[in-house]
Amino acid sequence: MSVSVSEKLLLCLLSPALLTVTVSQVGPIQVYGLITQSVSLAPTEPLAQPVEEVSWHYISNGTRHRLADYRNQRLSIRHSQFSQRLDADNSGTRLWIRELRSEDTGSYTAAITLQGTTQTVDLSFTLTVYEPVLTPDIKMEMEQISPDWCNFTLHCSAPTNPSALSYSWMYRHKGRYQPYPNGTTIRVSLQPESWDGEYLCLVQNPADQKNASIAPREFCPHTRLTKGINGTTCWIKVFITLPILTALSFSVGVLIIVTRNKKNLR
């Protein structure tokens, strides 16, 4: 009896035993997670053999602990540290860890027994759990300002373990981005036409990132524009004041003439 392609696909979806897992592994799979978040440990390449059972182990401080077993479509947790925090799918070859803690950092292994054989495939993972990155703070130190240049230094910092963080800078101007050398501090020299841009500090670890921004126009006043505004203001004052002075002069002149005429009549 022949089986159509669609029927084969349906059989694969309905039969979890048809799942395959990775055969070879050059080194541990690196996995990163955040405290209180979830993460999964899973193979990256398939095997030709279906899975019979999987045994998971956890290695911390050089000690190997039995973590969990997956048999008959059921996961049994063996380690109290992970009680009610583990789930598994894909025939037990993918392990989910919920509500991550810093002590979950360590090495994990999966011993996968294939159906119909005594062959076991071993996978290894290295999990590192990080704290969430907090929003950084940018401080500005003005060095020199003139009508043609604005020179300043920007310092970026985040209240988290600095050894696990990396810092990078970007300058955004009219929709374009210009990268700056990595580090917590940059020195900047800008001409007035670039004062309407924005500097972004990106702080990250392998599992999270945050950013903050600052605009040069906040502390680099446009001297030329200020002069233009002041000049316009002066002309407005002249245009308003001149008619008033002319009217006053005319009134004084009329008053003097009337006074003289009265004296002559007497």
Side-chain angles (χ1 to χ4, degrees):
M1 180 181 66
S2 62
V3 181
S4 67
V5 174
S6 60
E7 288 173 330
K8 288 181 180 179
L9 178 60
L10 181 61
L11 287 173
C12 289
L13 293 174
L14 295 177
S15 177
L18 294 177
L19 177 77
T20 57
V21 293
T22 189
V23 171
S24 59
Q25 187 178 25
V26 176
I29 299 173
Q30 301 292 327
V31 182
Y32 307 105
L34 285 175
I35 290 176
T36 73
Q37 301 298 311
S38 298
V39 75
S40 67
L41 310 179
T44 57
E45 297 179 4
L47 259 187
Q49 297 277 64
V51 176
E52 178 70 30
E53 63 181 26
V54 183
S55 294
W56 286 90
H57 291 81
Y58 167 58
I59 303 171
S60 177
N61 298 323
T63 303
R64 183 183 175 91
H65 307 274
R66 189 143 189 187
L67 179 59
D69 297 318
Y70 189 89
R71 294 188 182 92
N72 300 321
Q73 307 301 313
R74 181 180 177 182
L75 181 69
S76 300
I77 302 174
R78 308 295 186 186
H79 198 296
S80 59
Q81 176 180 319
F82 298 89
S83 178
Q84 300 182 349
R85 294 198 297 126
L86 299 182
D87 284 313
D89 56 17
N90 289 6
S91 295
T93 61
R94 179 165 59 187
L95 185 70
W96 290 90
I97 306 175
R98 302 188 307 273
E99 300 175 12
L100 285 170
R101 308 169 183 172
S102 58
E103 58 265 30
D104 295 339
T105 294
S107 298
Y108 295 77
T109 62
I112 303 168
T113 302
L114 306 178
Q115 281 187 6
T117 69
T118 57
Q119 180 183 359
T120 300
V121 177
D122 294 324
L123 300 178
S124 60
F125 305 84
T126 300
L127 171 64
T128 306
V129 181
Y130 292 91
E131 295 181 3
V133 177
L134 301 180
T135 301
D137 177 58
I138 299 178
K139 294 183 179 179
M140 184 277 300
E141 180 182 342
M142 182 63 70
E143 296 181 1
Q144 183 181 5
I145 186 169
S146 69
D148 298 316
W149 289 96
C150 184
N151 304 320
F152 54 91
T153 300
L154 297 178
H155 305 274
C156 186
S157 61
T160 313
N161 182 8
S163 62
L165 297 177
S166 63
Y167 291 79
S168 58
W169 289 88
M170 297 286 290
Y171 172 63
R172 180 169 60 192
H173 185 242
K174 296 181 178 179
R176 296 183 179 181
Y177 289 84
Q178 174 188 339
Y180 267 73
N182 294 344
T184 58
T185 302
I186 59 171
R187 297 187 65 183
V188 180
S189 294
L190 290 180
Q191 291 185 300
E193 57 266 24
S194 300
W195 291 355
D196 59 345
E198 186 178 35
Y199 282 89
L200 290 88
C201 172
L202 177 66
V203 183
Q204 60 185 350
N205 60 33
D208 193 23
Q209 66 177 28
K210 292 290 189 306
N211 66 77
S213 63
I214 189 170
R217 62 179 175 274
E218 297 175 5
F219 48 86
C220 291
H222 202 312
T223 307
R224 291 176 178 173
L225 181 60
T226 303
K227 285 183 177 179
I229 293 173
N230 289 340
T232 302
T233 304
C234 290
W235 279 110
I236 291 173
K237 289 180 179 178
V238 169
F239 290 143
I240 293 174
T241 306
L242 187 59
I244 295 174
L245 292 176
T246 303
L248 287 174
S249 300
F250 179 76
S251 299
V252 171
V254 171
L255 182 61
I256 293 173
I257 294 171
V258 171
T259 303
R260 287 179 179 176
N261 290 336
K262 286 183 178 180
K263 290 181 178 179
N264 292 335
L265 292 175
R266 291 176 184 176

